[in-house]
Amino acid sequence: MAIVNATDQNFADETKDGVVLVDFWAPWCGPCKMIAPVLEELDGDLGDKAKIVKVDVDENQETAGKFGVMSIPTLLVLKDGEVVDKAVGFQPKEALAELLNKQM
């Protein structure tokens, strides 16, 4: 499944079903750039078991504010639209896979 770029307008639709890893990021954020290839690799490993959604905090401040995102990258795990886990800062692929596997 391809990584989806969500906006304030479509975030609820993109995250309402199943297990979703949400990456709150910004183009100017160094650790966000470091985690991008990790997310691409993880997405390939996950197949259809979970979805990855990216939210640019500069362009989608309403969604970032709703979830209290204060530093980036912030990674939330949602299950059927509800936050079930969270990580802040760069995370290795194994740590992110573990977060998701707990919910699948």
Side-chain angles (χ1 to χ4, degrees):
M1 192 177 287
I3 294 177
V4 175
N5 287 300
T7 63
D8 287 341
Q9 289 73 35
N10 71 358
F11 183 84
D13 281 342
E14 294 291 351
T15 59
K16 68 182 177 198
D17 296 320
V19 177
V20 182
L21 176 66
V22 182
D23 173 28
F24 287 94
W25 70 287
W28 47 263
C29 163
C32 299
K33 290 177 187 166
M34 289 169 45
I35 208 168
V38 174
L39 293 173
E40 290 286 344
E41 201 175 311
L42 184 63
D43 186 56
D45 293 351
L46 290 169
D48 290 336
K49 292 184 279 186
K51 182 177 185 179
I52 298 177
V53 173
K54 293 176 71 84
V55 178
D56 182 333
V57 295
D58 288 341
E59 295 178 6
N60 301 285
Q61 294 177 2
E62 183 181 317
T63 302
K66 177 181 169 193
F67 290 99
V69 174
M70 298 306 245
S71 56
I72 52 174
T74 290
L75 299 136
L76 300 180
V77 179
L78 279 70
K79 188 167 188 176
D80 299 327
E82 299 295 319
V83 177
V84 291
D85 218 333
K86 177 180 182 174
V88 178
F90 177 82
Q91 303 291 319
K93 182 176 131 184
E94 296 74 24
L96 294 174
E98 194 176 308
L99 282 177
L100 291 171
N101 286 334
K102 286 192 284 186
Q103 305 305 325
M104 292 191 286

